[in-house]
Amino acid sequence: MKVDTIIHAKWLMTCEENNTVLADHALIIQNKKIIDILPSKPAAEKYNATETHHYSTHVVMPGFINTHTHLAMNYLRGLADDMALMDWLNNYIWPAEKKWVNHDFVYDASLNAMAEMIRCGTTCFNDMYFFLEATADAALKAGIRGGIGITVIGFPTNWANNFDEYVSKGLNFYQQYKDKELLRTTFAPHAIYTAADHELIRVAELAEEYDLKINMHIHETEAEIKHSVEKFHARPIKRLQQMGLISPRLIAVHMAHINEEDSEIIKAGKPSIVHCPQSNMKLASGTCPVHHLKQLGLNVALGTDGAASNNDLDMLAEMQSASFLAKLSTHNPKVQTDLEALTMATLNGAKALGIDDVTGSLTKGKSADFIAINLDEIETSPIYHPESLVVYSASRHQVTDTWVAGKQLMKNRQLLTLDEEAIKAKAKEWSKKIKPS
Ligand SMILES: [Zn+2]
């Protein structure tokens, strides 16, 4: 049978619920989709491909899904470090954004972020920022899959002045881009402390009407909860429940502080959770109780947050941090296996975004979104368990190839859709304006 592409892999990781490692297997791709997975030998007899790739020392696995990003913040990376969330936001990040963020900033910085993501094996992101067309156009150029959030924040920014303008610009974006195969629009109210209750209720209604997911930073810090209790006599999760936001439509980002009452509410409401361990550790915000949330039956995905609070978009490192933190915080090294960590960094992100019928694992019928990680390096030798090496030892420079929807975006570390040198030159140009030396 004639097909588009055969990918022969030394090890193939499906990242399905029961994640397995298949040795010497092939991925058969036709019309951007995976149509078969079988051992390499019969694959070569059964299929005749236009293109054949041999990843003979590699793990082939679904691309990472970075379920919480602020991509354009790549240009604020390293501008202000070593402080708590509200000090960092109020005194450094929001003033810098007020001064510099416009369409071109977001487009250029997003391309920088997408190049970084493709280079670390991320095939799908879920973003919250401003100038949505700029991020979307950058994604279309890069060929990467992504969710673009209609940010709603309770003060004027360079993108919009008030709630009505955020929403109308966002919905206008949705109408313009809703047919783009690789893009999804979501609502993204920034946080409970930067939106009025009636605005959040309206977001919940609109999300229902347009059938869109809602991303929101929730219970990121103790200060957020204290402020809510003092002003409204209820914790944010309780108030969000009363506003109708705690539902499977919600992608609750951070959730670093959960008590028993919160647990009951989210157990009933079934939102997805996004764990961002490195950002939470760097800002000393708190620790998301991932194991507890999983025991409540919730879907927990993984995100880096913006590069200004991490300070990278490296999902391999994020997965390693999540694994170590899960063990340390529960005093239980068995709490999460390497195969479970891989599923959290892939399939669970697709579930959060509601696109697990399209991507997130290597299964017949899903889009050919996958990466190859070369284990033939000193840093990942010897090879006893490839899944252990990917989670605990590999670095992002070992990701050699990245594919989205059957299209190769990186080949042997070379970007095929983006110009690395031009992206570095742009970053330099902007940095000279943002922080003249
Ligand atoms: Zn964030």
Side-chain angles (χ1 to χ4, degrees):
M1 182 185 169
K2 184 87 184 145
V3 293
D4 295 336
T5 313
I6 299 182
I7 303 292
H8 290 287
K10 180 65 199 164
W11 298 282
L12 198 76
M13 285 182 198
T14 61
C15 295
E16 280 287 289
E17 291 298 351
N18 290 319
N19 196 359
T20 46
V21 185
L22 307 166
D24 299 311
H25 267 61
L27 209 55
I28 313 300
I29 300 163
Q30 177 78 321
N31 294 330
K32 307 177 187 179
K33 287 186 175 171
I34 300 165
I35 60 159
D36 204 356
I37 296 174
L38 72 172
S40 276
K41 215 170 162 202
E45 291 158 11
K46 188 172 174 188
Y47 295 103
N48 176 17
T50 310
E51 262 186 64
T52 302
H53 296 257
H54 293 272
Y55 294 114
S56 51
T57 56
H58 302 65
V59 163
V60 169
M61 60 172 278
F64 295 113
I65 300 191
N66 190 341
T67 317
H68 181 61
T69 61
H70 310 280
L71 295 179
M73 291 183 86
N74 258 42
Y75 274 2
L76 305 177
R77 177 179 6 229
L79 190 65
D81 294 304
D82 310 327
M83 57 193 82
L85 178 70
M86 293 320 293
D87 182 15
W88 179 73
L89 283 176
N90 283 320
N91 300 315
Y92 296 88
I93 296 303
W94 287 340
E97 287 182 330
K98 185 77 208 157
K99 194 163 176 193
W100 295 109
V101 171
N102 59 28
H103 178 279
D104 290 352
F105 175 100
V106 173
Y107 181 78
D108 292 341
S110 296
L111 276 185
N112 182 295
M114 287 164 193
E116 181 180 356
M117 288 192 291
I118 293 167
R119 281 163 58 85
C120 84
T122 295
T123 52
C124 181
F125 63 84
N126 181 34
D127 202 52
M128 177 193 285
Y129 212 65
F130 313 104
F131 296 94
L132 314 188
E133 289 84 357
T135 314
D137 289 345
L140 293 172
K141 182 178 167 65
I144 194 168
R145 190 182 294 281
I148 313 269
I150 302 172
T151 296
V152 174
I153 196 162
F155 52 80
T157 61
N158 298 349
W159 187 54
N161 286 303
N162 52 49
F163 179 77
D164 290 343
E165 201 182 347
Y166 283 109
V167 169
S168 66
K169 281 193 166 176
L171 290 175
N172 186 37
F173 166 82
Y174 165 71
Q175 294 298 352
Q176 260 185 285
Y177 286 78
K178 68 178 189 308
D179 297 326
K180 301 290 181 197
E181 186 194 337
L182 296 179
L183 301 180
R184 289 282 190 288
T185 305
T186 70
F187 272 101
H190 168 262
I192 200 164
Y193 57 90
T194 52
D197 289 8
H198 70 273
E199 293 170 349
L200 291 173
I201 291 166
R202 184 70 190 131
V203 166
E205 290 168 358
L206 287 167
E208 195 72 37
E209 187 182 331
Y210 288 87
D211 193 20
L212 303 179
K213 295 278 183 179
I214 303 171
N215 295 280
M216 191 172 178
H217 298 109
I218 301 175
H219 284 210
E220 181 172 5
T221 63
E222 278 176 330
E224 172 190 333
I225 296 167
K226 190 164 171 261
H227 172 263
S228 177
V229 170
E230 281 172 9
K231 203 167 166 198
F232 301 96
H233 310 290
R235 288 163 69 87
I237 285 177
K238 178 79 190 164
R239 289 171 54 212
L240 290 169
Q241 180 201 29
Q242 288 163 348
M243 293 177 215
L245 271 103
I246 307 287
S247 76
R249 193 177 290 291
L250 179 68
I251 303 171
V253 181
H254 297 309
M255 301 289 263
H257 305 274
I258 305 290
N259 71 9
E260 256 179 54
E261 187 195 17
D262 302 330
S263 297
E264 286 306 314
I265 294 170
I266 53 178
K267 187 181 175 187
K270 296 217 174 318
S272 277
I273 314 293
V274 186
H275 179 33
C276 303
Q278 291 199 347
S279 177
N280 293 158
M281 288 194 280
K282 184 161 185 281
L283 296 164
S285 296
T287 307
C288 175
V290 174
H291 183 60
H292 171 65
L293 296 170
K294 283 183 181 169
Q295 282 181 322
L296 295 177
L298 301 173
N299 175 50
V300 184
L302 197 61
T304 57
D305 214 339
S309 69
N310 186 302
N311 289 355
D312 56 42
L313 306 176
D314 182 350
M315 285 291 284
L316 272 167
E318 206 68 33
M319 188 167 57
Q320 189 178 82
S321 295
S323 297
F324 292 166
L325 194 59
K327 294 164 196 298
L328 177 68
S329 62
T330 55
H331 303 279
N332 179 3
K334 295 179 179 175
V335 78
Q336 181 176 279
T337 67
D338 42 18
L339 288 171
E340 286 167 346
L342 284 158
T343 297
M344 179 159 84
T346 54
L347 182 62
N348 292 3
K351 283 183 182 171
L353 282 163
I355 53 171
D356 52 312
D357 57 333
V358 177
T359 189
S361 63
L362 301 184
T363 313
K364 280 187 213 178
K366 285 199 186 184
S367 177
D369 298 0
F370 64 93
I371 60 173
I373 303 175
N374 187 11
L375 297 186
D376 186 24
E377 301 273 354
I378 295 290
E379 290 76 6
T380 44
S381 63
I383 303 172
Y384 299 118
H385 302 287
E387 64 276 26
S388 161
L389 294 172
V390 171
V391 176
Y392 300 124
S393 310
S395 88
R396 57 177 157 171
H397 297 288
Q398 289 174 257
V399 177
T400 59
D401 295 62
T402 302
W403 297 66
V404 174
K407 182 179 174 182
Q408 195 164 14
L409 308 186
M410 181 167 75
K411 183 178 185 177
N412 202 17
R413 297 295 295 158
Q414 293 300 309
L415 296 179
L416 300 182
T417 53
L418 300 176
D419 181 340
E420 247 177 86
E421 291 309 314
I423 286 170
K424 282 197 283 182
K426 274 279 179 209
K428 199 170 176 184
E429 201 180 301
W430 275 100
S431 73
K432 280 184 183 161
K433 285 192 267 185
I434 293 167
K435 195 173 186 299
S437 50

